[in-house]
Amino acid sequence: MFVQDLTPLGSLGLSALVAALPLATVLVLLGAVRMRAHHAALIGLLVALVVGVAAYGMPVVQAVSGALEGAAFGLWPIMWIVVNALWIYRLTVRTGHFDVLRRSFGRISDDPRIQALIIAFCFGALMEALAGFGAPVAISAVMLVAVGFHPVKAAVVALVANTAPVAFGAMGTPVVTLAQVTGLPLQEVSSIVGRQTPLLALVVPLLLVIIVDGKRGLRDTWLPALVCGVAFGVVQFLASNYVSPQLADIGAALAGAAALVALPQTRRPVPEAVRIGTGGTATAEAPPEDSRGDVVKAYLPYLLIIVIFSIAVLPPVKKLLDKATWKFRWPGLNVAGPNGKPVSGNTFSLPFLNTGGTLVLLAGVITAALLAVSASDTAREWLATVKELRFAILTVTGVLALAYVMNLSGQTSTIGTFIAAAGAGLAFLSPVLGWFGVAVSGSDTSSNALFGALQVTAAHQTGLPANLLAAANSSGGVLGKMVSPQNLTIACVAANLPGEEGKLLRRVLPWSVGLLLVMCLIVWGQSTAALSWMLP
């Protein structure tokens, strides 16, 4: 048995500095060296293995086995859902129904700034609610490019928009995981997260119109952006506190879209200079009319996803689907935490049916049948999707392998313990810990699994509210999503920007850090008399 040592170098600070080397390597290679993401991920993995073996004393066999487990998790469920989500998109492109959907969004408004709100913020939030794990960024970026956005701007908008809904994404998986690992009641955790992330929803739409069109965008479209954000935030707050965390993002996304559609300003003609200046086309030709049947078919895949996921979360159905889950001890791993108890990473779970990728696959099969796509063409498009995502798959598996090595060797816990040593300042730094976890793994769910229990332990040591710090881990984590290597790669693939992950990182990093600072101030305020009234 390998027992983790949080201070292998004698000093917690020095150990944390060395433990941070793998993540620092990846970020520097992406942002400064401008290396391809899959190469940066593999080099980062090598650094994590060296640190784990040389500094932390993890046996080589266990370190390699942990890396393989992480890579397996990257394939299933993460890339499993991304592949199938993009496959559905390819089916709609093949049949021409994606163009119908694009025109449908375009008829709501021809203003690129409004289109960014509708597609990236509202529709992207709906995809996050139903699928998560990169699918919202992929689909939103593709749609933005299709309506005329420059690929880089489309990717940046899609990445920044994918923040406010993340904590309740994939049918509430992150907060459900947080409740499980901390032992806190789900509704208690959901309520506090629902009093933090809705504040992001007020800010993010305003940032999107700034990204699209600078100061002019803010001056001209601040009202639609604010109305959209308020509607989204209010419904997310109400649903997460009084209805169900699983439905928080679905209701919020639909409310935000409805508020935009209902606002008269949304339908005002946009000046040609705005359309051209924001990357749109100069043509003023009216798009062709689509029949009602074609419009229904264009929305059909997403309606199917909503219906299938809604049915899947019903307790009897969920219980039935859970029976097709294989849990087993991962070969070659025998790791214990500093307390001597085996860590959860020793076991691996394969949910064959009750996973987003399988449910999206089912929606895709039904979509292919209803859109009259032959079985051979359907299979050919699926294989073409896998080929298109081959470098993204390599990046994601490399990053998750890195994350697992850091977690199993104790590197992640060292960094978390170092940050937790901040004492009363932990309330300000706790979102940073969540941000760090998502930046490494690309998943708020994984970050909550990594650091949720640690946040609670640190809260007990410092006298801070345990539920507040646990929630802060998830709320801060959503802001690390846009800088995670796997999400950057997915955005590049979707927007046809091969090898441009470094450029995107430099574009989104300031927004990520700026919003993180805002979240840190919110959580710190909620830990004091200034904003404690916000807590349930």
Side-chain angles (χ1 to χ4, degrees), residues 333-533:
L333 278 183
N334 188 13
V335 180
N339 58 4
K341 296 181 179 179
V343 299
S344 59
N346 291 327
T347 59
F348 193 78
S349 178
L350 275 176
F352 293 105
L353 297 181
N354 195 18
T355 182
T358 302
L359 298 178
V360 173
L361 176 67
L362 175 60
V365 171
I366 299 175
T367 295
L370 295 177
L371 297 184
V373 182
S374 68
S376 59
D377 287 342
T378 299
R380 192 176 297 112
E381 289 295 338
W382 193 90
L383 293 174
T385 304
V386 174
K387 182 179 179 180
E388 180 183 350
L389 289 174
R390 61 190 183 280
F391 293 121
I393 292 172
L394 189 57
T395 299
V396 170
T397 53
V399 169
L400 266 295
L402 177 154
Y404 266 64
V405 171
M406 291 184 66
N407 184 33
L408 291 168
S409 65
Q411 297 173 59
T412 303
S413 296
T414 295
I415 298 169
T417 304
F418 178 74
I419 295 177
L426 180 60
F428 182 84
L429 293 175
S430 56
V432 179
L433 199 57
W435 180 94
F436 170 77
V438 176
V440 174
S441 67
S443 165
D444 199 39
T445 299
S446 298
S447 178
N448 289 341
L450 289 172
F451 295 135
L454 177 62
Q455 295 269 21
V456 170
T457 301
H460 290 318
Q461 294 173 350
T462 56
L464 293 168
N467 51 13
L468 173 62
L469 296 198
N473 193 86
S474 190
S475 299
V478 306
L479 301 170
K481 190 92 169 177
M482 67 180 83
V483 298
S484 67
Q486 71 177 55
N487 248 28
L488 292 171
T489 299
I490 289 169
C492 283
V493 171
N496 194 24
L497 295 167
E500 296 293 336
E501 289 88 354
K503 177 185 287 187
L504 291 187
L505 175 61
R506 291 188 295 276
R507 293 285 189 94
V508 300
L509 185 59
W511 300 114
S512 178
V513 174
L515 290 172
L516 176 62
L517 177 60
V518 172
M519 182 56 65
C520 289
L521 292 172
I522 291 172
V523 175
W524 174 79
Q526 290 176 334
S527 71
T528 68
L531 296 179
S532 60
W533 54 269

Side-chain angles (χ1 to χ4, degrees), residues 268-290:
R268 290 179 184 174
V270 60
E272 198 70 20
V274 172
R275 189 184 300 111
I276 298 172
T278 54
T281 58
T283 177
E285 296 180 4
E289 288 294 326
D290 298 303

Side-chain angles (χ1 to χ4, degrees), residues 121 125 163-169 190-191 193-202 229-245 247-253 255 478:
F121 189 71
T163 50
V166 169
F168 297 102
S190 172
S191 295
V193 174
R195 294 163 193 250
Q196 295 171 343
T197 56
L199 298 176
L200 293 176
L202 304 180
V230 168
F232 185 101
V234 168
V235 173
Q236 189 184 60
F237 161 74
L238 293 174
S240 61
N241 276 265
Y242 306 111
V243 184
S244 166
L247 299 177
D249 279 349
I250 293 178
V478 306

